Amino acid sequence: MKIVLGIETSCDETAIAVVREDGQILSNLVLSQLEEHKAFGGVVPEIAARAHLDHIDTLIKAAMQDAKIDFTNLDGVAATTGPGLIGGVMIGMMAGKAIAATHDLPFLAVNHLEAHALTARLTNQTAFPFLVLLVSGGHTQILVAEDVGVYKRWGTTIDDALGECFDKSAKLMGLEYPGGPNLEKMAAFCASPQAQKTALEKFPLPSPLKGRQGCDFSFSGLKTSIRNHVEKLPAGDLNREDIAALAYSFQITVGNIVIDRCHNAIEQFFQTYPQGNKPPAFVVCGGVAANKHLRAKLQDLTAQAKMDFIAPPLALCSDNGAMIAWVGIEKLLKGDIDTFAVAARPRWPLDPTAEKRPGGGVKA
Ligand code: KG4
Ligand code: ZN
């Protein structure tokens, strides 16, 4: 049974894992750089790259120890080679190539987005084709996974990624980075039906693209609207009640937008793949998939559509090395091995035929 080491360094997590072909995760370590970036309210690429460099050796050693194997027991080394912050990607990729070269092992260049998409196959053995909603700090896409390496991108954001929109809106509300989880916590304080009704009336937010055809997303108007609401409130620190109400209204609006877009994708999926699996799978992945409100809404939607809803456990939804190792295994089994000449790619779309979209949040 194949065993692969997975290395993930494309953003602000140094993540190393060892995974076996049968889906056993032998080790899975994630070192977050949250503290390093907190003061800046976002990920600073140069700081991220240095931190990866400082910790990667120790973490690889620890992951191998946890898995109770040594390099000679490996069948391959997989590393994220894009898309992502290029400095960090280079560090993980070079570490992976060095281990592979030294121990004469196949090197597997992994697309970070593919790793998120295929996590469902690691956890649930999901059969192709399946529908994927990928919502993270850098990406917001609706994809069909047809096979390893074969994707159709049906929707993407035309401006901010959803996680980015959570983080920027949270920052406007005075919440600490990373905003997503903090915003969710605040929204929970807007708990009574009366408070919720008042929140939606006091802080109405736009739903860009909602009701339109297709599966694209737009979130930048939402952030601007939050800014306008905040500016109209009394100067100084916002009171807790207003923050909770803003966060609640934001979360409800985002949930409705995502459901509207996914509804279109599901219709398109049933039309395009009438002979697909019964029931077909709908996979949600990426850091924002941790959001409970979003999960619940997606669960309802997919139940109505009679789809199998798959949300990997939270530790495998956000960035991790196990998902990288898993794509390494899938590639290895197909004989899709890379040479050491493979380059790091800041942008690497999963579907090269998909139309390019403008906007800072579109990293692929
Ligand atoms: O996939 P991920 O760990 O990293 C990449 O961007 O690739 O996603 C991180 C993003 C951040 O924007 C974070 O704020 C968001 O996921 N996030 C959440 C929640 N937990 C993490 N957003 C909303 N609600 C959450 N509970
Ligand atoms: Zn990610």
Side-chain angles (χ1 to χ4, degrees):
M1 214 174 307
K2 306 282 185 213
I3 299 180
V4 168
L5 172 70
I7 302 174
E8 158 58 37
T9 54
S10 67
C11 193
D12 60 342
E13 260 109 21
T14 318
I16 315 288
V18 179
V19 177
R20 209 168 61 187
E21 186 184 333
D22 61 355
Q24 269 287 322
I25 298 174
L26 304 182
S27 64
N28 190 20
L29 300 178
V30 181
L31 187 71
S32 170
Q33 304 171 0
L34 210 64
E35 290 306 319
E36 277 95 329
H37 300 288
K38 217 171 193 169
F40 304 94
V43 179
V44 185
E46 204 33 51
I47 294 177
R50 278 165 196 267
H52 287 307
L53 194 56
D54 283 348
H55 302 297
I56 192 162
D57 289 6
T58 326
L59 216 61
I60 290 174
K61 200 170 167 196
M64 294 297 292
Q65 267 170 2
D66 263 17
K68 299 190 178 60
I69 57 165
D70 60 44
F71 290 129
T72 58
N73 302 117
L74 290 175
D75 296 286
V77 181
T80 303
T81 57
L85 301 173
I86 194 71
V89 172
M90 300 261 290
I91 284 157
M93 180 185 78
M94 293 313 291
K97 284 182 182 176
I99 296 168
T102 311
H103 299 279
D104 204 14
L105 292 167
F107 177 70
L108 306 140
V110 173
N111 181 311
H112 181 91
L113 303 176
E114 178 164 35
H116 276 303
L118 295 193
T119 304
R121 288 174 55 78
L122 163 65
T123 56
N124 296 62
Q125 299 83 46
T126 306
F128 294 115
F130 55 89
L131 199 54
V132 182
L133 170 68
L134 167 60
V135 275
S136 72
H139 305 281
T140 301
Q141 304 196 349
I142 294 181
L143 299 158
V144 178
E146 287 192 343
D147 200 346
V148 181
V150 187
Y151 299 87
K152 295 278 180 298
R153 196 200 71 198
W154 283 355
T156 186
T157 176
I158 57 168
D159 40 57
D160 292 349
L162 182 52
E164 187 182 3
C165 181
F166 261 96
D167 294 339
K168 287 179 177 170
S169 301
K171 196 173 175 185
L172 290 166
M173 295 172 202
L175 302 175
E176 273 195 8
Y177 176 83
N182 287 330
L183 193 151
E184 179 172 22
K185 275 184 212 137
M186 283 311 294
F189 288 110
C190 187
S192 73
Q194 184 53 46
Q196 293 176 346
K197 186 167 171 282
T198 310
L200 298 178
E201 283 164 6
K202 188 172 178 186
F203 299 120
L205 295 169
S207 300
L209 297 184
K210 184 165 169 262
R212 301 258 202 100
Q213 274 190 335
C215 311
D216 279 341
F217 296 88
S218 167
F219 294 111
S220 70
L222 212 59
K223 175 189 67 194
T224 309
S225 196
I226 294 273
R227 178 180 292 117
N228 292 339
H229 283 310
V230 169
E231 279 168 2
K232 280 186 207 133
L233 291 168
D237 286 347
L238 305 185
N239 74 47
R240 196 182 162 86
E241 219 176 36
D242 279 336
I243 300 175
L246 268 169
Y248 176 80
S249 176
F250 176 89
Q251 213 170 237
I252 294 292
T253 307
V254 161
N256 291 340
I257 295 172
V258 172
I259 291 310
D260 176 75
R261 310 283 75 204
C262 289
H263 178 264
N264 290 358
I266 289 172
E267 275 193 352
Q268 195 175 332
F269 188 85
F270 278 105
Q271 279 162 17
T272 316
Y273 304 95
Q275 310 299 339
N277 312 299
K278 303 275 180 298
F282 181 106
V283 174
V284 61
C285 56
V288 187
N291 188 278
K292 289 189 202 70
H293 173 68
L294 202 59
R295 276 191 183 225
K297 296 277 288 187
L298 288 169
Q299 198 141 24
D300 285 352
L301 178 76
T302 50
Q304 276 167 29
K306 301 203 168 26
M307 290 183 94
D308 197 4
F309 179 62
I310 298 174
L314 295 188
L316 297 177
C317 263
S318 51
D319 290 351
N320 64 88
M323 67 180 188
I324 308 301
W326 178 254
V327 176
I329 289 174
E330 296 246 34
K331 287 187 65 167
L332 190 63
L333 293 175
K334 286 190 81 176
D336 184 6
I337 292 158
D338 296 277
T339 70
F340 290 131
V342 68
R345 298 179 62 174
R347 284 173 187 252
W348 182 2
L350 275 183
D351 177 359
T353 65
E355 214 181 303
K356 290 217 165 38
R357 296 274 194 269
V362 193
K363 307 256 163 48

